[in-house]
């Protein structure tokens, strides 16, 4: 395939992926908006008023970046894992496998779908947040880059989960038992500075902490971690997961006999 | 002339140790309408899966119009259109979107893809249903949707794995006409089917695969010419109590109104009817007991009744 044909193929996969989640927007876009509104009402307004300021920001303002990023993480992951596994389950992944589209384009196409949903939900949740609190913007570049890179990272993780999944149960195990705990313990609702030293050290092993704090730096200008370390961690994970996902695709793991 | 498909010493051993293909060799000429038949589990779908890159081969070579799938996979894939045995589209996607997306995977721009999709959906009687989700279609329509999808990039080799399974007779006949037109226009077609009448009617050449080995590979005409005898079923006007003696023919009475007569290839049918008339036996109608190819097929695969 020449360059233009590859571009057409990528666009076909991306359009298919975007149409998929857009067709079922009541399942994909609306629920995170409602959930986030509930977080703001319960944690921000009711409990947050008792907490006081964190790093000089009202509690509700402080948790906004974490809530947005948490939504982006879960939706990027969920989009790719469910789309890819469904394609495997219904065998319509074969539509791409029989075509001359290179494996890396299949991967990028699915990641593009995850990114599109992650960003769409991120924007929707940000609009909801603006009904509760003003959102400062310290660095547009940092905020946008962290948002996009994090979405890509978890889209890749979802893709790998989708490759390994052998049943619909398998696509919910990682989000339930790994992703959700890591996200909740990743400093979405608190600053690690509030934790005892031992738990601070433990928290630093959680990669999501770096993403949440880097995004928080983009919006609020405060972070519990070094920004360069956060970028290095995100980019490192992306490179590792991309290579691994492509290796699995090239081997045909779970999709070719 | 470069073959449309060339398999050499193709072997497949699955992880569970089952050998699905024992080093098969096969060539399909360009423009051919080729039947690949065999009992269930014989290795047909494995062979097709390897050619279409859905199954990894263990050893051997596969070339599609001279493009080796080991060294020139993208070019080989571009030549192939596949209609698989099982429905393999997203049932929640609209018909038009399924066909247009498939064209996109071959690098065909959306505008051209839409034009082709309109043409093939019209030809296959699906244009009115283009906005419906695929799950709303009947079984026959789903099969035709897979044919439209396989043709949208205008492949030189169309592989159909039991394309008329579960399709009613009228639709099946219209699909036969459509496939004959596609073949006449230059597309090489490889067909597997349960309906041996279909293979006999459509295909010029045939390979029969059994237990992972090619047991026959010849032209349909040559294969059918090997028939030494075939069985006619005669529906009698009046009942018979005893089996009549018809010199030169093996005769049996299925019931008092039905006579089965084995007719050898060099026998004269007039002789049979003369003998019947001489005994005052009136025949209301007659038919072949089984399809000719079916009789041969059963002999070749060791008496197994299930075909293709």
């Amino acid at each position: 395939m020449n360059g233009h044909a590859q571009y057409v193929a990528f666009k076909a996969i991306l359009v298919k992926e975007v149409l998929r989640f857009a067709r079922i927007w009541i399942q994909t876009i609306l629920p995170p908006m409602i959930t986030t509104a509930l977080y703001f009402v319960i944690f921000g307004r009711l409990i947050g008023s008792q907490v006081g300021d964190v790093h000089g920001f009202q509690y509700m303002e402080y948790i906004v970046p974490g809530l947005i990023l948490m939504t982006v993480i879960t939706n990027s992951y969920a989009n790719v894992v469910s789309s890819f596994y469904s394609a495997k389950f219904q065998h319509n992944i074969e539509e791409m496998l029989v075509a001359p589209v290179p494996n890396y384009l299949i991967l990028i196409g699915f990641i593009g779908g995850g990114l599109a949903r992650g960003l769409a939900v991120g924007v929707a949740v940000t609009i909801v947040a603006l009904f509760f609190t003003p959102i400062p913007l310290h660095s547009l570049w940092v905020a946008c880059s962290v948002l996009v890179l994090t979405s890509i990272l978890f889209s890749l993780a979802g893709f790998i989960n989708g490759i390994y999944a052998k049943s619909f149960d398998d696509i919910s195990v990682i989000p339930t038992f790994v992703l959700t705990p890591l996200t909740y313990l990743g400093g979405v609702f608190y600053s690690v500075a509030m934790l005892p030293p031992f738990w601070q050290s433990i928290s630093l092993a959680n990669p999501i902490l770096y993403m949440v704090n880097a995004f928080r730096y983009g919006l609020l200008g405060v972070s519990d971690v070094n920004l360069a370390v956060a970028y290095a961690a995100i980019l490192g994970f992306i490179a590792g997961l991309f290579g691994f996902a492509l290796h699995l695709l090239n081997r045909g793991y779970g999709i070719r006999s | 002339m470069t073959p449309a498909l060339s398999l050499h010493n193709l072997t497949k051993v699955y992880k569970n140790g089952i050998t699905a293909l024992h080093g098969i060799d096969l060539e399909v000429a360009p423009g051919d309408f080729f039947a690949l038949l065999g009992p269930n589990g014989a290795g047909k779908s494995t062979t097709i899966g390897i050619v279409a890159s859905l199954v990894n081969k263990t050893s051997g070579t596969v070339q599609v119009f001279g493009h080796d799938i080991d060294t020139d996979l993208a070019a080989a894939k571009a030549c192939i259109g596949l209609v698989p045995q099982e429905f393999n589209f997203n049932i929640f996607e609209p018909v038009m979107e399924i066909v247009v997306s498939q064209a996109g995977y071959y690098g065909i721009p959306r505008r051209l893809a839409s034009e082709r999709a309109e043409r093939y959906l019209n030809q296959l009687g699906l244009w009115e249903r283009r906005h419906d989700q695929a799950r709303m279609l009947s079984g026959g329509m789903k099969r035709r949707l897979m044919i439209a999808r396989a043709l949208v990039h205008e492949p030189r080799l169309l592989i159909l794995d039991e394309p008329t399974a579960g399709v009613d007779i009228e639709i099946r006949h219209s699909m036969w006409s459509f496939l004959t037109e596609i073949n006449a226009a230059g597309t090489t077609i490889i067909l597997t089917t349960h309906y041996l009448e279909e293979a006999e009617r459509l295909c010029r050449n045939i390979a029969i695969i059994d237990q992972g080995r090619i047991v026959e590979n010849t032209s349909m005409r040559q294969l059918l010419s090997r028939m030494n005898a075939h069985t006619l079923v005669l529906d009698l006007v009046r009942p018979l109590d005893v089996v009549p003696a018809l010199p030169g023919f093996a005769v049996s009475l299925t019931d008092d109104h039905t006579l089965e007569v084995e007719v050898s290839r060099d026998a004269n049918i007039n002789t049979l009817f003369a003998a019947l008339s001489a005994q005052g036996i009136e025949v209301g109608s007659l038919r072949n007991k089984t399809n000719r190819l079916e009789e041969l097929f059963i002999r070749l695969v060791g008496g197994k009744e299930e075909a293709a």
Side-chain angles (χ1 to χ4, degrees):
Chain A
M1 282 180 115
N2 60 30
H4 181 256
Q6 291 201 15
Y7 167 71
V8 171
F10 166 71
K11 210 168 75 174
I13 301 170
L14 185 62
V15 167
K16 186 188 179 89
E17 285 302 291
V18 171
L19 287 176
R20 192 197 71 85
F21 78 76
R23 261 198 304 271
I24 48 171
W25 63 274
I26 291 179
Q27 294 173 47
T28 53
I29 308 291
L30 196 58
M33 294 172 75
I34 294 170
T35 309
T36 307
L38 288 171
Y39 275 127
F40 279 119
V41 170
I42 296 165
F43 289 100
R45 189 149 290 172
L46 301 178
I47 297 173
S49 58
Q50 311 294 316
V51 176
D53 287 359
V54 183
H55 289 307
F57 291 93
Q58 284 188 342
Y59 184 67
M60 181 138 35
E61 214 173 343
Y62 183 79
I63 65 172
V64 164
L67 287 177
I68 294 172
L69 201 72
M70 184 170 78
T71 312
V72 169
I73 286 172
T74 51
N75 279 274
S76 301
Y77 190 97
N79 193 73
V80 181
V81 72
S82 60
S83 177
F84 191 78
Y85 181 70
S86 297
K88 256 174 59 174
F89 183 76
Q90 293 193 92
H91 295 285
N92 57 293
I93 189 67
E94 292 173 3
E95 290 176 337
M96 293 175 203
L97 298 181
V98 299
V101 51
N103 285 335
Y104 74 87
L105 273 189
I106 295 176
L107 180 57
I108 293 173
F110 273 94
I111 300 315
L115 177 63
R117 177 163 156 194
L119 295 183
V121 172
V123 168
V125 166
T126 304
I127 292 167
V128 170
L130 285 169
F131 284 100
F132 293 89
T133 179
I135 305 174
L137 183 59
H138 178 74
S139 167
L140 178 67
W141 189 89
V142 171
C144 288
S145 61
V146 171
L147 201 69
V148 168
L149 291 173
T150 303
S151 179
I152 290 172
L153 195 163
F154 283 94
S155 296
L156 281 163
F159 189 89
I160 292 167
N161 189 173
I163 285 184
Y164 278 108
K166 289 186 167 56
S167 71
F168 279 99
D169 288 341
D170 293 342
I171 68 173
S172 62
V173 167
I174 300 291
T176 306
F177 297 105
V178 179
L179 209 53
T180 305
L182 283 180
T183 310
Y184 277 76
L185 296 171
V188 171
F189 296 102
Y190 56 86
S191 162
V192 285
M194 298 160 83
L195 300 174
F198 174 75
W199 288 110
Q200 278 188 35
S201 309
I202 295 289
S203 293
L204 290 174
N206 179 358
I208 293 179
L209 179 84
Y210 295 85
M211 299 162 207
V212 168
N213 275 283
F215 188 57
R216 184 172 283 138
Y217 179 84
L219 295 187
L220 308 183
V222 295
S223 171
D224 290 332
V225 299
N226 183 295
L227 203 59
V229 174
Y231 272 110
I234 296 171
L235 290 170
F237 272 111
I238 287 176
L241 293 180
F242 187 89
F244 186 52
L246 193 57
H247 167 71
L248 292 174
L249 261 185
N250 288 338
R251 270 188 58 201
Y253 188 91
I255 50 176
R256 285 192 172 96
S257 302
Chain B
M1 200 185 302
T2 309
L5 179 66
S6 172
L7 311 180
H8 179 61
N9 201 21
L10 187 62
T11 304
K12 174 64 185 177
V13 182
Y14 283 102
K15 276 183 183 170
N16 58 10
I18 290 174
T19 303
L21 297 176
H22 295 270
I24 65 168
D25 294 295
L26 188 67
E27 274 201 6
V28 177
D32 201 356
F33 206 136
F34 191 92
L36 181 62
L37 306 181
N40 283 338
K44 303 183 302 295
S45 293
T46 298
T47 305
I48 289 172
I50 290 171
V51 173
S53 310
L54 295 175
V55 176
N56 293 326
K57 64 185 168 66
T58 304
S59 64
T61 58
V62 177
Q63 290 188 341
V64 184
F65 286 102
H67 303 292
D68 193 306
I69 66 165
D70 290 326
T71 55
D72 200 6
L73 180 60
K77 282 178 168 182
C79 295
I80 301 171
L82 175 68
V83 180
Q85 202 176 111
E86 307 289 340
F87 300 131
N88 71 340
F89 42 73
N90 184 340
I91 57 171
F92 299 107
E93 277 183 11
V95 167
M96 184 74 172
E97 202 55 45
I98 288 172
V99 181
V100 171
S101 292
Q102 186 68 29
Y105 305 149
Y106 287 83
I108 297 165
R110 200 168 177 85
R111 194 168 159 185
L112 178 58
S114 299
E115 286 172 15
R116 288 187 187 174
E118 181 177 348
R119 189 194 331 147
Y120 288 117
L121 290 176
N122 262 316
Q123 286 179 6
L124 288 156
L126 291 171
W127 180 244
E128 299 302 317
R129 306 294 301 270
R130 64 191 180 282
H131 298 306
D132 291 348
Q133 289 186 346
R135 69 192 171 99
M136 312 290 282
L137 303 181
S138 67
M141 287 176 174
K142 285 174 180 163
R143 295 247 167 246
R144 282 178 279 154
L145 169 58
M146 293 205 295
I147 293 176
R149 185 186 61 179
L151 288 170
V152 74
H153 64 286
E154 301 193 333
R156 298 169 70 189
L157 172 62
L158 180 64
I159 302 174
L160 302 135
D161 197 356
E162 297 182 19
T164 55
V167 172
D168 69 43
I169 292 171
E170 192 183 347
I171 304 267
R172 197 183 306 160
H173 279 256
S174 72
M175 283 166 74
W176 289 353
S177 302
F178 179 75
L179 294 173
T180 305
E181 282 172 28
I182 292 280
N183 178 243
T187 306
T188 309
I189 298 180
I190 297 175
L191 171 80
T192 81
T193 179
H194 273 291
Y195 307 110
L196 299 185
E197 180 201 353
E198 184 169 274
E200 184 178 341
R201 183 163 170 165
L202 296 174
C203 300
R204 289 186 286 279
N205 290 294
I206 182 170
I208 295 178
I209 184 168
D210 188 29
Q211 296 179 358
R213 292 183 171 87
I214 301 282
V215 294
E216 190 56 75
N217 184 7
T218 182
S219 72
M220 189 68 77
R221 185 174 296 181
Q222 275 193 340
L223 184 65
L224 293 174
S225 70
R226 285 189 215 159
M227 286 279 291
N228 292 321
H230 61 114
T231 306
L232 291 178
V233 179
L234 310 180
D235 298 313
L236 307 179
V237 174
R238 286 187 297 277
L240 280 180
D241 296 328
V242 291
V243 180
L246 301 173
F249 299 97
V251 186
S252 62
L253 202 55
T254 311
D255 58 53
D256 60 358
H257 273 89
T258 313
L259 202 60
E260 285 190 4
V261 183
E262 194 174 306
V263 182
S264 61
R265 202 172 74 185
D266 50 358
N268 189 327
I269 300 279
N270 286 342
T271 313
L272 168 65
F273 279 94
L276 288 165
S277 295
Q279 296 188 39
I281 300 170
E282 283 185 54
V283 177
S285 62
L286 89 163
R287 60 196 146 86
N288 267 321
K289 186 177 182 184
T290 53
N291 170 269
R292 293 179 302 165
L293 181 58
E294 194 169 317
E295 284 194 31
L296 275 167
F297 178 84
I298 291 169
R299 284 181 212 168
L300 283 166
V301 298
K304 288 175 191 162
E305 287 184 1
E306 197 166 26

